[in-house]
Amino acid sequence: MKIKICGLKRAEDIDAVNLYKPDYIGFVFAGTKRRITFQQAKRLKQLLAADICAVGVFVDEKIDHIVSLVDDHVIDMIQLHGHEDETYIARLKEKTTATIIKAIRIQDETSLDVRYDVDYYLLDHCQAGSGQSFDWKLIRNLDKPLFLAGGISLDNLDQALKQDVWGLDISTGVETQGWKDPQKIAKVIRRIRNER
């Protein structure tokens, strides 16, 4: 099970992930409470251990902005969390070979009736960033490996680990009062990796 800790904003957050080693971290460039600027991300990436993959999270971003972050080695992978369609994805792929994750906001069974030319799907609650889970009974195999996101925390982690997915994407569940909590990051990663 792969682990992604999303929404890092501070040098202290990078220190924690460098210590506990998730597979991926996320820098959010969209209009949420976890949003950071391109310059902030560049500084944080310089502090990030080389064996942790940095994912840029975007919502309907200008393609050239995304490509510049890839080309400047600020991010290694791209996560599209908005209304990006096949035309947008095709234009993006013309300009970069970076791995692409497409988020699918789950409302009901029909939400999974998708087919995008990407590398991974990320299944999230229809109100992304809310810290809420969707009904995991709706999960079914698609034509790409799946990340599971939305409301994953220590409280429901054992249930999340039973899902047939490639990885878990955790953000609110490793926060205390809106900030990443190194102790929660440590507990989540150790439990996922059976290092109790």
PDB file of all heavy atoms in Angstrom, residues 144-177:
ATOM      1  N   LYS A 144      -7.277   1.972 -14.224  1.00  0.00           N
ATOM      2  CA  LYS A 144      -6.022   2.515 -13.688  1.00  0.00           C
ATOM      3  C   LYS A 144      -5.916   2.159 -12.205  1.00  0.00           C
ATOM      4  O   LYS A 144      -6.929   1.950 -11.534  1.00  0.00           O
ATOM      5  CB  LYS A 144      -5.987   4.053 -13.797  1.00  0.00           C
ATOM      6  CG  LYS A 144      -6.407   4.632 -15.118  1.00  0.00           C
ATOM      7  CD  LYS A 144      -5.369   4.428 -16.189  1.00  0.00           C
ATOM      8  CE  LYS A 144      -5.826   5.106 -17.491  1.00  0.00           C
ATOM      9  NZ  LYS A 144      -5.308   4.448 -18.670  1.00  0.00           N
ATOM     10  N   PRO A 145      -4.692   2.163 -11.655  1.00  0.00           N
ATOM     11  CA  PRO A 145      -4.554   2.009 -10.205  1.00  0.00           C
ATOM     12  C   PRO A 145      -5.226   3.178  -9.482  1.00  0.00           C
ATOM     13  O   PRO A 145      -5.276   4.299 -10.004  1.00  0.00           O
ATOM     14  CB  PRO A 145      -3.038   2.026  -9.985  1.00  0.00           C
ATOM     15  CG  PRO A 145      -2.436   1.723 -11.318  1.00  0.00           C
ATOM     16  CD  PRO A 145      -3.397   2.263 -12.336  1.00  0.00           C
ATOM     17  N   LEU A 146      -5.714   2.911  -8.276  1.00  0.00           N
ATOM     18  CA  LEU A 146      -6.508   3.890  -7.529  1.00  0.00           C
ATOM     19  C   LEU A 146      -5.812   4.352  -6.255  1.00  0.00           C
ATOM     20  O   LEU A 146      -5.283   3.538  -5.489  1.00  0.00           O
ATOM     21  CB  LEU A 146      -7.847   3.276  -7.122  1.00  0.00           C
ATOM     22  CG  LEU A 146      -8.737   2.718  -8.226  1.00  0.00           C
ATOM     23  CD1 LEU A 146      -9.958   2.046  -7.622  1.00  0.00           C
ATOM     24  CD2 LEU A 146      -9.147   3.824  -9.183  1.00  0.00           C
ATOM     25  N   PHE A 147      -5.857   5.659  -6.032  1.00  0.00           N
ATOM     26  CA  PHE A 147      -5.581   6.226  -4.714  1.00  0.00           C
ATOM     27  C   PHE A 147      -6.930   6.476  -4.046  1.00  0.00           C
ATOM     28  O   PHE A 147      -7.866   6.933  -4.695  1.00  0.00           O
ATOM     29  CB  PHE A 147      -4.846   7.566  -4.819  1.00  0.00           C
ATOM     30  CG  PHE A 147      -3.381   7.463  -5.120  1.00  0.00           C
ATOM     31  CD1 PHE A 147      -2.927   7.487  -6.434  1.00  0.00           C
ATOM     32  CD2 PHE A 147      -2.447   7.363  -4.098  1.00  0.00           C
ATOM     33  CE1 PHE A 147      -1.574   7.410  -6.721  1.00  0.00           C
ATOM     34  CE2 PHE A 147      -1.087   7.285  -4.381  1.00  0.00           C
ATOM     35  CZ  PHE A 147      -0.644   7.308  -5.692  1.00  0.00           C
ATOM     36  N   LEU A 148      -7.004   6.219  -2.752  1.00  0.00           N
ATOM     37  CA  LEU A 148      -8.199   6.520  -1.970  1.00  0.00           C
ATOM     38  C   LEU A 148      -7.920   7.742  -1.108  1.00  0.00           C
ATOM     39  O   LEU A 148      -6.916   7.777  -0.389  1.00  0.00           O
ATOM     40  CB  LEU A 148      -8.581   5.325  -1.091  1.00  0.00           C
ATOM     41  CG  LEU A 148      -9.771   5.526  -0.135  1.00  0.00           C
ATOM     42  CD1 LEU A 148     -11.043   5.859  -0.908  1.00  0.00           C
ATOM     43  CD2 LEU A 148      -9.963   4.283   0.724  1.00  0.00           C
ATOM     44  N   ALA A 149      -8.793   8.737  -1.180  1.00  0.00           N
ATOM     45  CA  ALA A 149      -8.640   9.966  -0.402  1.00  0.00           C
ATOM     46  C   ALA A 149      -9.972  10.310   0.254  1.00  0.00           C
ATOM     47  O   ALA A 149     -10.993   9.699  -0.023  1.00  0.00           O
ATOM     48  CB  ALA A 149      -8.189  11.109  -1.312  1.00  0.00           C
ATOM     49  N   GLY A 150      -9.933  11.295   1.125  1.00  0.00           N
ATOM     50  CA  GLY A 150     -11.161  11.800   1.735  1.00  0.00           C
ATOM     51  C   GLY A 150     -11.439  11.219   3.102  1.00  0.00           C
ATOM     52  O   GLY A 150     -11.962  10.113   3.223  1.00  0.00           O
ATOM     53  N   GLY A 151     -11.051  11.946   4.126  1.00  0.00           N
ATOM     54  CA  GLY A 151     -11.458  11.579   5.479  1.00  0.00           C
ATOM     55  C   GLY A 151     -10.740  10.390   6.079  1.00  0.00           C
ATOM     56  O   GLY A 151     -11.216   9.813   7.062  1.00  0.00           O
ATOM     57  N   ILE A 152      -9.599   9.991   5.520  1.00  0.00           N
ATOM     58  CA  ILE A 152      -8.856   8.870   6.099  1.00  0.00           C
ATOM     59  C   ILE A 152      -8.083   9.375   7.325  1.00  0.00           C
ATOM     60  O   ILE A 152      -7.371  10.371   7.256  1.00  0.00           O
ATOM     61  CB  ILE A 152      -7.889   8.252   5.078  1.00  0.00           C
ATOM     62  CG1 ILE A 152      -8.661   7.762   3.857  1.00  0.00           C
ATOM     63  CG2 ILE A 152      -7.093   7.110   5.709  1.00  0.00           C
ATOM     64  CD1 ILE A 152      -7.774   7.371   2.686  1.00  0.00           C
ATOM     65  N   SER A 153      -8.256   8.668   8.432  1.00  0.00           N
ATOM     66  CA  SER A 153      -7.591   9.050   9.679  1.00  0.00           C
ATOM     67  C   SER A 153      -7.275   7.774  10.463  1.00  0.00           C
ATOM     68  O   SER A 153      -7.607   6.662  10.037  1.00  0.00           O
ATOM     69  CB  SER A 153      -8.493   9.970  10.513  1.00  0.00           C
ATOM     70  OG  SER A 153      -9.608   9.234  10.989  1.00  0.00           O
ATOM     71  N   LEU A 154      -6.679   7.935  11.628  1.00  0.00           N
ATOM     72  CA  LEU A 154      -6.391   6.781  12.486  1.00  0.00           C
ATOM     73  C   LEU A 154      -7.665   6.045  12.864  1.00  0.00           C
ATOM     74  O   LEU A 154      -7.647   4.834  13.088  1.00  0.00           O
ATOM     75  CB  LEU A 154      -5.644   7.241  13.743  1.00  0.00           C
ATOM     76  CG  LEU A 154      -4.189   7.672  13.490  1.00  0.00           C
ATOM     77  CD1 LEU A 154      -3.663   8.496  14.652  1.00  0.00           C
ATOM     78  CD2 LEU A 154      -3.309   6.450  13.253  1.00  0.00           C
ATOM     79  N   ASP A 155      -8.790   6.761  12.890  1.00  0.00           N
ATOM     80  CA  ASP A 155     -10.064   6.148  13.297  1.00  0.00           C
ATOM     81  C   ASP A 155     -10.585   5.127  12.289  1.00  0.00           C
ATOM     82  O   ASP A 155     -11.226   4.152  12.675  1.00  0.00           O
ATOM     83  CB  ASP A 155     -11.132   7.221  13.527  1.00  0.00           C
ATOM     84  CG  ASP A 155     -10.792   8.134  14.694  1.00  0.00           C
ATOM     85  OD1 ASP A 155     -10.061   7.681  15.610  1.00  0.00           O
ATOM     86  OD2 ASP A 155     -11.228   9.290  14.685  1.00  0.00           O
ATOM     87  N   ASN A 156     -10.360   5.371  11.000  1.00  0.00           N
ATOM     88  CA  ASN A 156     -10.893   4.455   9.984  1.00  0.00           C
ATOM     89  C   ASN A 156      -9.804   3.838   9.115  1.00  0.00           C
ATOM     90  O   ASN A 156     -10.091   3.249   8.067  1.00  0.00           O
ATOM     91  CB  ASN A 156     -11.935   5.164   9.114  1.00  0.00           C
ATOM     92  CG  ASN A 156     -11.346   6.330   8.336  1.00  0.00           C
ATOM     93  OD1 ASN A 156     -10.145   6.575   8.346  1.00  0.00           O
ATOM     94  ND2 ASN A 156     -12.206   7.063   7.640  1.00  0.00           N
ATOM     95  N   LEU A 157      -8.552   3.953   9.559  1.00  0.00           N
ATOM     96  CA  LEU A 157      -7.425   3.498   8.743  1.00  0.00           C
ATOM     97  C   LEU A 157      -7.470   1.995   8.486  1.00  0.00           C
ATOM     98  O   LEU A 157      -7.190   1.542   7.370  1.00  0.00           O
ATOM     99  CB  LEU A 157      -6.105   3.881   9.420  1.00  0.00           C
ATOM    100  CG  LEU A 157      -4.833   3.612   8.622  1.00  0.00           C
ATOM    101  CD1 LEU A 157      -4.855   4.311   7.282  1.00  0.00           C
ATOM    102  CD2 LEU A 157      -3.607   4.061   9.419  1.00  0.00           C
ATOM    103  N   ASP A 158      -7.830   1.212   9.491  1.00  0.00           N
ATOM    104  CA  ASP A 158      -7.880  -0.238   9.297  1.00  0.00           C
ATOM    105  C   ASP A 158      -8.886  -0.605   8.211  1.00  0.00           C
ATOM    106  O   ASP A 158      -8.637  -1.499   7.395  1.00  0.00           O
ATOM    107  CB  ASP A 158      -8.226  -0.949  10.607  1.00  0.00           C
ATOM    108  CG  ASP A 158      -7.087  -0.855  11.624  1.00  0.00           C
ATOM    109  OD1 ASP A 158      -5.935  -0.606  11.201  1.00  0.00           O
ATOM    110  OD2 ASP A 158      -7.348  -1.014  12.828  1.00  0.00           O
ATOM    111  N   GLN A 159     -10.024   0.106   8.183  1.00  0.00           N
ATOM    112  CA  GLN A 159     -11.029  -0.131   7.139  1.00  0.00           C
ATOM    113  C   GLN A 159     -10.505   0.307   5.772  1.00  0.00           C
ATOM    114  O   GLN A 159     -10.726  -0.373   4.764  1.00  0.00           O
ATOM    115  CB  GLN A 159     -12.325   0.604   7.485  1.00  0.00           C
ATOM    116  CG  GLN A 159     -13.514   0.231   6.609  1.00  0.00           C
ATOM    117  CD  GLN A 159     -13.921  -1.234   6.759  1.00  0.00           C
ATOM    118  OE1 GLN A 159     -13.785  -1.824   7.820  1.00  0.00           O
ATOM    119  NE2 GLN A 159     -14.390  -1.820   5.671  1.00  0.00           N
ATOM    120  N   ALA A 160      -9.791   1.425   5.744  1.00  0.00           N
ATOM    121  CA  ALA A 160      -9.218   1.909   4.478  1.00  0.00           C
ATOM    122  C   ALA A 160      -8.222   0.897   3.909  1.00  0.00           C
ATOM    123  O   ALA A 160      -8.150   0.699   2.695  1.00  0.00           O
ATOM    124  CB  ALA A 160      -8.544   3.263   4.693  1.00  0.00           C
ATOM    125  N   LEU A 161      -7.480   0.258   4.797  1.00  0.00           N
ATOM    126  CA  LEU A 161      -6.470  -0.709   4.355  1.00  0.00           C
ATOM    127  C   LEU A 161      -7.091  -1.962   3.731  1.00  0.00           C
ATOM    128  O   LEU A 161      -6.412  -2.710   3.031  1.00  0.00           O
ATOM    129  CB  LEU A 161      -5.567  -1.104   5.526  1.00  0.00           C
ATOM    130  CG  LEU A 161      -4.578  -0.017   5.970  1.00  0.00           C
ATOM    131  CD1 LEU A 161      -3.942  -0.366   7.296  1.00  0.00           C
ATOM    132  CD2 LEU A 161      -3.513   0.213   4.902  1.00  0.00           C
ATOM    133  N   LYS A 162      -8.369  -2.180   3.971  1.00  0.00           N
ATOM    134  CA  LYS A 162      -9.060  -3.340   3.393  1.00  0.00           C
ATOM    135  C   LYS A 162      -9.553  -3.072   1.968  1.00  0.00           C
ATOM    136  O   LYS A 162     -10.009  -3.988   1.288  1.00  0.00           O
ATOM    137  CB  LYS A 162     -10.248  -3.735   4.272  1.00  0.00           C
ATOM    138  CG  LYS A 162      -9.838  -4.238   5.644  1.00  0.00           C
ATOM    139  CD  LYS A 162     -11.064  -4.508   6.507  1.00  0.00           C
ATOM    140  CE  LYS A 162     -10.655  -4.918   7.919  1.00  0.00           C
ATOM    141  NZ  LYS A 162     -11.827  -5.074   8.810  1.00  0.00           N
ATOM    142  N   GLN A 163      -9.480  -1.828   1.534  1.00  0.00           N
ATOM    143  CA  GLN A 163      -9.973  -1.476   0.201  1.00  0.00           C
ATOM    144  C   GLN A 163      -8.966  -1.908  -0.860  1.00  0.00           C
ATOM    145  O   GLN A 163      -7.760  -1.914  -0.635  1.00  0.00           O
ATOM    146  CB  GLN A 163     -10.245   0.028   0.105  1.00  0.00           C
ATOM    147  CG  GLN A 163     -11.137   0.574   1.194  1.00  0.00           C
ATOM    148  CD  GLN A 163     -12.457  -0.173   1.317  1.00  0.00           C
ATOM    149  OE1 GLN A 163     -13.136  -0.411   0.319  1.00  0.00           O
ATOM    150  NE2 GLN A 163     -12.820  -0.545   2.544  1.00  0.00           N
ATOM    151  N   ASP A 164      -9.461  -2.243  -2.033  1.00  0.00           N
ATOM    152  CA  ASP A 164      -8.612  -2.701  -3.126  1.00  0.00           C
ATOM    153  C   ASP A 164      -8.097  -1.491  -3.910  1.00  0.00           C
ATOM    154  O   ASP A 164      -8.587  -1.173  -5.000  1.00  0.00           O
ATOM    155  CB  ASP A 164      -9.415  -3.643  -4.035  1.00  0.00           C
ATOM    156  CG  ASP A 164      -8.549  -4.242  -5.146  1.00  0.00           C
ATOM    157  OD1 ASP A 164      -7.305  -4.189  -5.017  1.00  0.00           O
ATOM    158  OD2 ASP A 164      -9.123  -4.737  -6.132  1.00  0.00           O
ATOM    159  N   VAL A 165      -7.128  -0.815  -3.312  1.00  0.00           N
ATOM    160  CA  VAL A 165      -6.567   0.395  -3.923  1.00  0.00           C
ATOM    161  C   VAL A 165      -5.041   0.322  -3.894  1.00  0.00           C
ATOM    162  O   VAL A 165      -4.451  -0.438  -3.125  1.00  0.00           O
ATOM    163  CB  VAL A 165      -7.054   1.684  -3.205  1.00  0.00           C
ATOM    164  CG1 VAL A 165      -8.556   1.865  -3.386  1.00  0.00           C
ATOM    165  CG2 VAL A 165      -6.690   1.678  -1.719  1.00  0.00           C
ATOM    166  N   TRP A 166      -4.436   1.156  -4.727  1.00  0.00           N
ATOM    167  CA  TRP A 166      -2.977   1.225  -4.852  1.00  0.00           C
ATOM    168  C   TRP A 166      -2.366   1.983  -3.675  1.00  0.00           C
ATOM    169  O   TRP A 166      -1.301   1.631  -3.180  1.00  0.00           O
ATOM    170  CB  TRP A 166      -2.636   1.919  -6.166  1.00  0.00           C
ATOM    171  CG  TRP A 166      -1.243   2.427  -6.324  1.00  0.00           C
ATOM    172  CD1 TRP A 166      -0.811   3.706  -6.181  1.00  0.00           C
ATOM    173  CD2 TRP A 166      -0.086   1.669  -6.707  1.00  0.00           C
ATOM    174  NE1 TRP A 166       0.532   3.810  -6.437  1.00  0.00           N
ATOM    175  CE2 TRP A 166       1.002   2.567  -6.761  1.00  0.00           C
ATOM    176  CE3 TRP A 166       0.137   0.321  -6.994  1.00  0.00           C
ATOM    177  CZ2 TRP A 166       2.290   2.153  -7.100  1.00  0.00           C
ATOM    178  CZ3 TRP A 166       1.422  -0.079  -7.334  1.00  0.00           C
ATOM    179  CH2 TRP A 166       2.481   0.824  -7.390  1.00  0.00           C
ATOM    180  N   GLY A 167      -3.047   3.056  -3.250  1.00  0.00           N
ATOM    181  CA  GLY A 167      -2.474   3.893  -2.212  1.00  0.00           C
ATOM    182  C   GLY A 167      -3.522   4.684  -1.465  1.00  0.00           C
ATOM    183  O   GLY A 167      -4.663   4.810  -1.910  1.00  0.00           O
ATOM    184  N   LEU A 168      -3.112   5.210  -0.308  1.00  0.00           N
ATOM    185  CA  LEU A 168      -3.966   6.056   0.515  1.00  0.00           C
ATOM    186  C   LEU A 168      -3.411   7.466   0.517  1.00  0.00           C
ATOM    187  O   LEU A 168      -2.199   7.669   0.684  1.00  0.00           O
ATOM    188  CB  LEU A 168      -4.030   5.523   1.952  1.00  0.00           C
ATOM    189  CG  LEU A 168      -4.571   4.104   2.130  1.00  0.00           C
ATOM    190  CD1 LEU A 168      -4.547   3.711   3.610  1.00  0.00           C
ATOM    191  CD2 LEU A 168      -5.967   3.955   1.548  1.00  0.00           C
ATOM    192  N   ASP A 169      -4.287   8.443   0.338  1.00  0.00           N
ATOM    193  CA  ASP A 169      -3.929   9.859   0.321  1.00  0.00           C
ATOM    194  C   ASP A 169      -4.545  10.493   1.565  1.00  0.00           C
ATOM    195  O   ASP A 169      -5.760  10.535   1.704  1.00  0.00           O
ATOM    196  CB  ASP A 169      -4.479  10.503  -0.959  1.00  0.00           C
ATOM    197  CG  ASP A 169      -4.074  11.955  -1.112  1.00  0.00           C
ATOM    198  OD1 ASP A 169      -4.217  12.725  -0.142  1.00  0.00           O
ATOM    199  OD2 ASP A 169      -3.639  12.329  -2.205  1.00  0.00           O
ATOM    200  N   ILE A 170      -3.690  10.970   2.454  1.00  0.00           N
ATOM    201  CA  ILE A 170      -4.151  11.440   3.759  1.00  0.00           C
ATOM    202  C   ILE A 170      -3.710  12.882   3.969  1.00  0.00           C
ATOM    203  O   ILE A 170      -2.554  13.233   3.730  1.00  0.00           O
ATOM    204  CB  ILE A 170      -3.588  10.540   4.888  1.00  0.00           C
ATOM    205  CG1 ILE A 170      -3.942   9.075   4.597  1.00  0.00           C
ATOM    206  CG2 ILE A 170      -4.134  10.973   6.245  1.00  0.00           C
ATOM    207  CD1 ILE A 170      -3.231   8.081   5.473  1.00  0.00           C
ATOM    208  N   SER A 171      -4.644  13.712   4.428  1.00  0.00           N
ATOM    209  CA  SER A 171      -4.326  15.114   4.682  1.00  0.00           C
ATOM    210  C   SER A 171      -4.888  15.564   6.028  1.00  0.00           C
ATOM    211  O   SER A 171      -4.168  15.653   7.015  1.00  0.00           O
ATOM    212  CB  SER A 171      -4.849  15.999   3.548  1.00  0.00           C
ATOM    213  OG  SER A 171      -4.413  17.324   3.717  1.00  0.00           O
ATOM    214  N   THR A 172      -6.194  15.798   6.076  1.00  0.00           N
ATOM    215  CA  THR A 172      -6.821  16.237   7.334  1.00  0.00           C
ATOM    216  C   THR A 172      -6.569  15.244   8.456  1.00  0.00           C
ATOM    217  O   THR A 172      -6.389  15.642   9.616  1.00  0.00           O
ATOM    218  CB  THR A 172      -8.343  16.412   7.128  1.00  0.00           C
ATOM    219  OG1 THR A 172      -8.567  17.281   6.016  1.00  0.00           O
ATOM    220  CG2 THR A 172      -8.995  17.010   8.360  1.00  0.00           C
ATOM    221  N   GLY A 173      -6.519  13.968   8.140  1.00  0.00           N
ATOM    222  CA  GLY A 173      -6.357  12.923   9.141  1.00  0.00           C
ATOM    223  C   GLY A 173      -5.016  12.914   9.854  1.00  0.00           C
ATOM    224  O   GLY A 173      -4.848  12.201  10.854  1.00  0.00           O
ATOM    225  N   VAL A 174      -4.037  13.683   9.351  1.00  0.00           N
ATOM    226  CA  VAL A 174      -2.752  13.810  10.048  1.00  0.00           C
ATOM    227  C   VAL A 174      -2.520  15.254  10.479  1.00  0.00           C
ATOM    228  O   VAL A 174      -1.383  15.722  10.556  1.00  0.00           O
ATOM    229  CB  VAL A 174      -1.563  13.288   9.197  1.00  0.00           C
ATOM    230  CG1 VAL A 174      -1.626  11.771   9.084  1.00  0.00           C
ATOM    231  CG2 VAL A 174      -1.529  13.931   7.805  1.00  0.00           C
ATOM    232  N   GLU A 175      -3.622  15.952  10.748  1.00  0.00           N
ATOM    233  CA  GLU A 175      -3.528  17.339  11.211  1.00  0.00           C
ATOM    234  C   GLU A 175      -4.103  17.493  12.614  1.00  0.00           C
ATOM    235  O   GLU A 175      -4.998  16.738  13.021  1.00  0.00           O
ATOM    236  CB  GLU A 175      -4.290  18.275  10.263  1.00  0.00           C
ATOM    237  CG  GLU A 175      -3.643  18.416   8.906  1.00  0.00           C
ATOM    238  CD  GLU A 175      -4.403  19.328   7.954  1.00  0.00           C
ATOM    239  OE1 GLU A 175      -5.538  19.741   8.285  1.00  0.00           O
ATOM    240  OE2 GLU A 175      -3.870  19.618   6.884  1.00  0.00           O
ATOM    241  N   THR A 176      -3.579  18.464  13.322  1.00  0.00           N
ATOM    242  CA  THR A 176      -4.137  18.911  14.592  1.00  0.00           C
ATOM    243  C   THR A 176      -4.313  20.420  14.507  1.00  0.00           C
ATOM    244  O   THR A 176      -3.355  21.141  14.214  1.00  0.00           O
ATOM    245  CB  THR A 176      -3.206  18.550  15.772  1.00  0.00           C
ATOM    246  OG1 THR A 176      -3.065  17.119  15.824  1.00  0.00           O
ATOM    247  CG2 THR A 176      -3.768  19.053  17.092  1.00  0.00           C
ATOM    248  N   GLN A 177      -5.547  20.871  14.672  1.00  0.00           N
ATOM    249  CA  GLN A 177      -5.880  22.294  14.586  1.00  0.00           C
ATOM    250  C   GLN A 177      -5.389  22.916  13.271  1.00  0.00           C
ATOM    251  O   GLN A 177      -4.874  24.027  13.234  1.00  0.00           O
ATOM    252  CB  GLN A 177      -5.322  23.055  15.791  1.00  0.00           C
ATOM    253  CG  GLN A 177      -5.946  22.606  17.103  1.00  0.00           C
ATOM    254  CD  GLN A 177      -5.414  23.354  18.308  1.00  0.00           C
ATOM    255  OE1 GLN A 177      -4.299  23.870  18.288  1.00  0.00           O
ATOM    256  NE2 GLN A 177      -6.211  23.419  19.362  1.00  0.00           N
TER     257      GLN A 177
END
